[in-house]
Amino acid sequence: MKVNVLPLLLLALLSFSSIANEVDKMVEFSVTQMKRMGEFKGLSSATGVSEADLEKGFRAALTHCLKNHNMQGDGSELEVCMSREVPSATGLSAAQLDAWEGEGKAQMPSEKLLDEMDLINEKILQLEEKDDLTAADEKEIIKLENKLMQLSKEQRELQMQEMKDIASDFEEYHKQ
């Protein structure tokens, strides 16, 4: 089972000593980011385990791993530890976690909009590739292009808000 979440990548990039306060701050930051990405909600839906229990288990696993392993370097020790600890802390099997991860990665809401925009672009391209475009096809293309512009604006605004939220989380992390 491979735990593949944004906070673990951030942890691998950050170099810090395993002081209790630093560990608590990193755990809180990671949990906050996982909530933003819908990790607990998605896993809860897939497994039937409550979001609160999953969050509690992840906190326990991450705290254990950060306190008991040297986290300098590429983060591989953290990944191995989390792969071992998350199943026992959440009550889920490695197979359940792997199956959920296989369903699709957690995404920020702005990334989900990008996926929707990609689908609309594909529809537009399919219509434009027709040899004989009908008036209905042209009308559909215009409708899809307008939808794409609307989603693009929403995506940019959402992405800006997400960046502000993450920056705020980092500020909070450094204040503690």
Side-chain angles (χ1 to χ4, degrees):
M1 193 258 332
K2 183 177 180 183
V3 177
N4 184 18
V5 293
L6 173 69
L8 295 180
L9 295 175
L10 292 171
L11 288 171
L13 295 173
L14 295 173
S15 163
F16 63 93
S17 59
S18 188
I19 301 169
N21 187 41
E22 284 296 312
V23 168
D24 292 342
K25 289 178 1 181
M26 285 306 300
V27 169
E28 189 57 39
F29 178 80
S30 296
V31 167
T32 298
Q33 297 311 305
M34 290 178 74
K35 284 180 181 178
R36 282 193 200 289
M37 293 180 68
E39 295 262 356
F40 299 122
K41 187 176 192 169
L43 187 54
S44 176
S45 294
T47 63
V49 176
S50 75
E51 289 179 53
D53 287 344
L54 293 170
E55 181 181 330
K56 181 180 174 184
F58 180 82
R59 282 179 188 277
L62 186 55
T63 300
H64 170 80
C65 291
L66 291 174
K67 286 183 177 180
N68 295 299
H69 292 82
N70 176 9
M71 294 303 130
Q72 303 299 321
D74 66 1
S76 59
E77 270 187 62
L78 177 63
E79 188 174 316
V80 168
C81 182
M82 291 297 288
S83 293
R84 183 181 60 248
E85 295 296 320
V86 169
S88 65
T90 60
L92 298 174
S93 69
Q96 284 176 299
L97 290 166
D98 283 341
W100 175 72
E101 287 175 2
E103 291 177 14
K105 66 177 185 152
Q107 294 180 306
M108 298 293 280
S110 65
E111 293 173 312
K112 290 178 184 176
L113 276 180
L114 283 174
D115 289 346
E116 185 177 345
M117 291 166 61
D118 285 344
L119 292 174
I120 291 172
N121 272 322
E122 287 177 28
K123 288 178 185 177
I124 291 171
L125 289 173
Q126 287 173 351
L127 286 169
E128 289 177 339
E129 288 177 353
K130 284 185 169 182
D131 289 332
D132 295 319
L133 283 178
T134 65
D137 291 336
E138 290 177 5
K139 190 175 183 176
E140 181 67 14
I141 290 171
I142 291 170
K143 180 180 142 194
L144 290 170
E145 287 174 340
N146 288 334
K147 178 70 173 172
L148 194 57
M149 285 188 291
Q150 174 195 353
L151 290 176
S152 179
K153 180 181 178 195
E154 289 176 29
Q155 190 275 336
R156 283 191 308 273
E157 291 169 355
L158 195 52
Q159 191 173 39
M160 291 299 294
Q161 184 59 50
E162 290 166 353
M163 289 189 310
K164 286 178 186 176
D165 292 344
I166 291 171
S168 174
D169 293 342
F170 268 119
E171 282 181 30
E172 190 62 34
Y173 169 80
H174 289 291
K175 282 182 189 176
Q176 295 176 351

